Each structure stands twice: as C-alpha cells, then as structure tokens.
Amino acid sequence: MPELPDVQVYKEYIDATSLHQSIESIDVMDARILRNVSKDQLIQTLSGQPLDETHRHGKYLFIHTGSKQLLMMHFGMTGSLKYYKEDSDEPEYTQVRFDFDNGYHLAYVCKRMLGQVQLVEDIKQFLSDHDIGPDALRLNRDEFRNILGTSRAMIKPTFMDQSKLAGIGNEYSDEILFQAGIHPRKQATDLNSDQLDDLFDQTHDVCTTAIENRIEWDKFPDSYLVRHREKGANCPICGGTIDTMKINSRTCYYCPQHQSQ
DNA sequence: AGTACCACCTGACGGC
DNA sequence: TGCCGTCAGGTGGTAC
C-alpha cells in the first residue's frame, strides 16, 4: 500500500521523468478521483503549465506547477504512477493522464478509486485542514519521543494516526513494531526510553530500506516481516510463528514470541 | 481522547 | 462454472 516510502519513490519517479515538462493536455477518465475540483477546472488550471518541483508530506505528494495552485496526489491503497510514451503502454485503471509536450505521458493509476487528485493553494493550510501531523522522517528524536510517548492509545493505532505522525500505515507500522520487538497493543505511555529509541531508529531504518529497494519486497532483507507476512509463517527473527489479530478493525501481523505484551 | 464502527471502492479469493 | 460473501486498507465521518 502506498505509505511514506512508496510515495517517496513516486516523488523521485516524477522528479526523474516529468519534472520541468509542460502539460499539453489532461484526460480524466473517472472524475470520482478528483476532490474539490472539477475535471474542467483541473484541465483549465494546469494546461500549458510546467511541473516545477515536488514535495512529499506523509502519504501526500504535492507538485508545484506554473500555476498558483499545486497539484496534490494521494494514492489511497492501490494508487501508482507510470511514465510512458506509446499509447499502447497506458496502464489499466489509469484515472488521470497528463500529456506532456515531449510526447510522453504520466498516468495516475488507481484500481480501487480510493486515491485523490486535487488542486491545493497552500501546503501548510492543506495539512492543517486535514489535521496531518509532522512527517515521520522529518522529526528529530526528541520530537518523536514526545509525540509517541505521550499517547494514551495502543502503540500501533498511535503509529498509524496521521495527525500525530504522517506517513505510516498498516503495513509499515507492523514492520517497524516487528523490527523493534514491541507488541502492537502495548500502551504507548508504557514504552520505556529504550523502546522509544528503538522505534525512532526502526522508523528510519525500515523507511530507508524500503525506499532504497524501490519498494520491491523481494529485495528487502529476509529479516523483514513483509517477506513473511502470512499467518503461520516462521518468524525470521526468532523462529516463532507469525499470527494476526484485529486492532481497531485493521489486520495486524506480528510475532507473539519476540513481540511480547 | 480513544475506540469502534460505517462508508467509499473493486479485484481477488474461497466456499459451495 | 459461477454466484456470493469476505477481505484488503487509504481517508473521513459518526457515535459512545
């Protein structure tokens, strides 16, 4: 699922392919993907504009354009991007297609329609309106400890709470807690100082590893939960048995042996 | 404040 | 074979 590392890879993908190119035309296949903007408004605002600069915050990707408005993309659970030239290479489930004046196209692909594309006036205002907290990778250790350690909720929901920490979703919260050996239901206020430090370090290590491996799971270290994310699988860290449980109606994978309560 | 639902959405998958 | 229920999980809303 597109979480912080995935969106970072998408950002770098746009930087490497589409930046500084001008949008010649736009096609919106399914306008349900648009928020707070009509198909016509999107086309009118962005046509002829270059993509100047990208900025990622949490799971949100903002693209500065020649217009005053920024293009915002959120990838929901099945969103992705593809840059290509030949029409025959247009991916299935393309919802919005940006055609550049060099003949290439950038497809915003979203199979389950849970993503969002919209225009944004100001990033800070947008984040504030949507109650999005600081980006998980841009916090220093003290800020991180202060935010996580003071939440009275369980650690996993706390980690996934975008108003506290932006960018971590279900899969990466499982991975980070797995690597840190912390039980997902542990109360955040019960974490000791070493555990908070571990969580900070693992947040960085896991996200960095995922970004460096371009989100290709089979390239992740074998010690990663994502490669054994199946009920009954052997835990690559301690030999225990991976189990699942529901926390706030989310499926959580963990190892009961080395992530003890 | 935290928990627990619902809705949106649609492809994959298992049961019968 | 093919129908049907369930699951996946991003955000956002509501109720307690």
Side-chain angles (χ1 to χ4, degrees), chain A residues 2-221:
Chain A
E3 302 179 27
L4 189 156
D6 309 68
V7 180
Q8 179 64 27
V9 170
Y10 295 162
K11 171 192 153 45
E12 292 171 15
Y13 184 74
I14 288 187
D15 289 350
T17 59
S18 313
L19 223 52
H20 310 310
Q21 295 187 37
S22 288
I23 299 170
E24 197 171 77
S25 56
I26 301 173
D27 200 356
V28 178
M29 286 66 171
D30 192 330
R32 288 177 301 173
I33 213 76
L34 304 179
R35 302 294 151 92
N36 298 337
V37 66
S38 70
K39 177 178 173 176
D40 288 346
Q41 283 175 317
L42 186 79
I43 292 169
Q44 199 171 9
T45 305
L46 296 182
S47 290
Q49 302 298 340
L51 303 187
D52 284 337
E53 192 185 344
T54 57
H55 177 74
R56 182 196 57 73
H57 187 106
K59 304 174 192 173
Y60 292 86
L61 181 58
F62 302 92
I63 306 172
H64 294 266
T65 68
S67 154
K68 272 188 238 166
Q69 312 243 49
L70 291 89
L71 174 62
M72 189 287 286
M73 292 178 177
H74 187 282
F75 297 93
M77 114 185 223
T78 54
S80 63
L81 297 169
K82 187 180 175 186
Y83 183 79
Y84 62 98
K85 184 165 193 180
E86 302 301 329
D87 289 350
S88 57
D89 289 336
E90 181 175 302
E92 207 178 353
Y93 309 113
T94 295
Q95 308 301 351
V96 184
R97 193 193 62 240
F98 301 91
D99 305 320
F100 297 117
D101 57 6
N102 67 352
Y104 280 76
H105 315 278
L106 180 68
Y108 170 90
V109 183
C110 195
K111 194 192 276 183
R112 292 188 197 171
M113 299 297 293
L114 292 172
Q116 313 166 20
V117 172
Q118 71 176 75
L119 295 177
V120 168
E121 301 262 349
D122 179 73
I123 296 179
K124 272 189 183 165
Q125 188 62 46
F126 177 88
L127 297 174
S128 158
D129 289 347
H130 292 259
D131 198 14
I132 305 296
D135 184 81
L137 282 190
R138 292 191 201 104
L139 284 170
N140 67 35
R141 191 176 290 271
D142 285 344
E143 292 165 333
F144 181 94
R145 292 172 58 110
N146 192 41
I147 287 169
L148 284 196
T150 56
S151 165
R152 267 172 286 182
M154 295 176 277
I155 184 59
K156 181 179 162 74
T158 299
F159 233 99
M160 292 172 61
D161 184 342
Q162 301 300 298
S163 70
K164 293 193 163 60
L165 199 70
I168 306 299
N170 198 34
E171 284 188 0
Y172 284 96
S173 63
D174 279 355
E175 188 67 62
I176 291 164
L177 292 170
F178 179 83
Q179 294 300 329
I182 293 169
H183 195 281
R185 283 196 193 276
K186 184 146 184 111
Q187 296 295 308
T189 44
D190 287 345
L191 294 168
N192 64 36
S193 186
D194 285 349
Q195 289 175 314
L196 284 170
D197 274 344
D198 275 354
L199 277 182
F200 178 78
D201 292 337
Q202 289 300 340
T203 299
H204 279 258
D205 285 358
V206 166
C207 288
T208 305
T209 298
I211 293 165
E212 283 173 355
N213 287 295
R214 318 316 289 174
I215 322 299
E216 293 170 46
W217 289 355
D218 55 350
K219 291 185 181 166
F220 288 17

Side-chain angles (χ1 to χ4, degrees), chain A residues 199-258:
Chain A
L199 277 182
F200 178 78
D201 292 337
Q202 289 300 340
T203 299
H204 279 258
D205 285 358
V206 166
C207 288
T208 305
T209 298
I211 293 165
E212 283 173 355
N213 287 295
R214 318 316 289 174
I215 322 299
E216 293 170 46
W217 289 355
D218 55 350
K219 291 185 181 166
F220 288 17
D222 186 61
S223 59
Y224 270 47
L225 174 64
V226 70
R227 304 201 43 192
H228 309 268
R229 210 167 185 270
E230 193 182 349
K231 195 180 173 81
N234 286 330
C235 169
I237 287 182
C238 74
T241 305
I242 302 299
D243 200 2
T244 62
M245 62 178 161
K246 291 276 187 187
I247 301 181
N248 297 358
S249 55
R250 283 280 114 89
T251 305
C252 169
Y253 290 77
Y254 74 115
C255 171
Q257 189 164 307
H258 84 271

